[in-house]
Amino acid sequence: MLFRIDAYSTVPIYEQIVSQVIFGVAAGVLRSGELIPSVRELGERVAVHPNTVARAYQELERQGVVTARRGRGMEVTPEAPKLCQTARREILCRRLRETLREAVSSQLSLEEIRRLVEEELARVNGQVK
Amino acid sequence: MLFRIDAYSTVPIYEQIVSQVIFGVAAGVLRSGELIPSVRELGERVAVHPNTVARAYQELERQGVVTARRGRGMEVTPEAPKLCQTARREILCRRLRETLREAVSSQLSLEEIRRLVEEELARVNGQVK
DNA sequence: ACTAGTGTACTAGCTGAATAGTACACATTA
DNA sequence: TAATGTGTACTATTCAGCTAGTACACTAGT
């Protein structure tokens, strides 16, 4: 699975990691019982300090998505898929809402907004393969 | 015009102000030749330090959206409407792209994504009046 | 000339995020 | 037993964002 940190994002790095693990589990790419990359491995992979990765993993453990196996790794919990599908929807809805609210309140027409959505969907769909 | 700061957003406050001025001009709510609220007035209105507002205004001046009339206020430039319509589209496209990329890469179907968009559009459209 | 507004600029301090480094306990494997 | 991985936790430092306070120059109105 591809983790991808946007250094220019205003979203803190550890939150980006949290979201991407959630999305990965929701997508079925990370499955219950499997281990997610260690803090050192993921830290190296995305050029981020292991403590920052550990911070993200701590939050994921708090949410019940993973459980720490000290000396072994972080394991995806049995209830993680459901948790993550719910969380994914919430995260996406909130982001869509923020963006669409700005679009609407800046007097773009609904038709224009829908057109932008379709353009970006087509573009993104072509990229994510 | 209603300025609205989301203190919980990860977007810095000064950037939220920048965007909202751009959206206001693009929407025709702020017109060329008019003055935008002073740094002190807007600072009070949104409970933000005038220096933070001044920082946003500095960026807007750099982008050519406003020009400083020292002792008078910040005036919307003649070319601001076009600039802001372009900028609005770019800002929204970027945000949509980020959100939709995450939606697609987390294996939500296009149909499901479209449904979420319509739900949030309906919701937001009902709110922004 | 004075007052009340405007923008601009500076110093100082706080908070959150991130990094760097280090060290310890646990688990697995050879 | 030793080596190599794992997570966890701590201190210290840096940086960005924001605030608070202060002061100065400009403009317009009285």
Side-chain angles (χ1 to χ4, degrees):
Chain A
M1 170 185 170
L2 179 62
F3 282 87
R4 180 173 159 282
I5 296 303
D6 179 0
Y8 296 103
S9 174
T10 58
V11 176
I13 292 179
Y14 76 91
E15 276 195 34
Q16 293 182 48
I17 296 173
V18 168
S19 300
Q20 287 174 47
V21 170
I22 288 174
F23 292 149
V25 173
V29 176
L30 297 168
R31 301 173 188 277
S32 295
E34 284 182 8
L35 303 181
I36 63 180
S38 73
V39 300
R40 288 176 182 82
E41 185 199 337
L42 185 56
E44 279 195 43
R45 202 194 294 178
V46 294
V48 152
H49 201 272
N51 283 359
T52 303
V53 180
R55 175 152 179 201
Y57 284 10
Q58 197 168 42
E59 172 59 22
L60 288 160
E61 186 178 19
R62 191 193 64 77
Q63 292 184 24
V65 173
V66 296
T67 192
R69 304 297 190 204
R70 219 202 225 222
R72 270 192 85 243
M74 309 292 273
E75 186 180 323
V76 182
T77 59
E79 54 274 10
K82 281 202 172 219
L83 278 173
C84 291
Q85 277 154 23
T86 301
R88 170 179 65 178
R89 187 185 166 92
E90 280 167 18
I91 291 168
L92 292 175
C93 282
R94 189 172 354 101
R95 285 182 185 161
L96 277 175
R97 189 172 313 143
E98 281 161 13
T99 303
L100 295 175
R101 168 185 284 124
E102 283 188 315
V104 168
S105 69
S106 71
Q107 317 263 338
L108 273 180
S109 71
L110 297 191
E111 288 70 35
E112 174 71 11
I113 293 169
R114 286 191 178 100
R115 196 177 310 124
L116 292 182
V117 168
E118 286 305 319
E119 280 177 20
E120 294 306 326
L121 252 187
R123 177 179 179 147
V124 155
N125 199 38
Q127 282 172 5
V128 182
K129 287 287 190 257
Chain B
M1 170 182 173
L2 179 64
F3 281 86
R4 179 173 162 282
I5 296 302
D6 178 2
Y8 296 102
S9 175
T10 58
V11 177
I13 293 179
Y14 76 90
E15 277 197 34
Q16 294 182 47
I17 296 173
V18 168
S19 301
Q20 288 175 47
V21 170
I22 287 175
F23 293 148
V25 173
V29 176
L30 296 168
R31 302 172 187 279
S32 293
E34 282 181 11
L35 302 180
I36 62 180
S38 74
V39 300
R40 289 175 180 83
E41 186 199 338
L42 185 56
E44 277 195 44
R45 203 194 292 178
V46 295
V48 153
H49 202 271
N51 284 359
T52 302
V53 180
R55 175 151 178 201
Y57 284 10
Q58 199 167 43
E59 171 60 22
L60 287 161
E61 186 179 18
R62 192 194 64 76
Q63 292 185 23
V65 175
V66 296
T67 191
R69 304 298 192 202
R70 217 203 226 219
R72 269 190 88 240
M74 309 293 274
E75 187 180 324
V76 181
T77 60
E79 53 274 10
K82 282 204 172 219
L83 278 173
C84 290
Q85 278 154 22
T86 300
R88 170 179 65 179
R89 188 186 164 89
E90 279 168 15
I91 291 169
L92 292 174
C93 283
R94 188 173 356 102
R95 287 183 184 161
L96 277 175
R97 189 173 311 141
E98 281 162 11
T99 304
L100 294 175
R101 167 185 288 125
E102 283 188 314
V104 168
S105 70
S106 71
Q107 315 263 337
L108 272 181
S109 70
L110 298 190
E111 289 70 34
E112 175 70 13
I113 293 169
R114 287 192 178 98
R115 195 177 312 124
L116 292 182
V117 167
E118 284 307 317
E119 279 175 23
E120 295 305 326
L121 253 188
R123 178 178 179 148
V124 156
N125 198 38
Q127 281 172 5
V128 182
K129 285 291 190 255

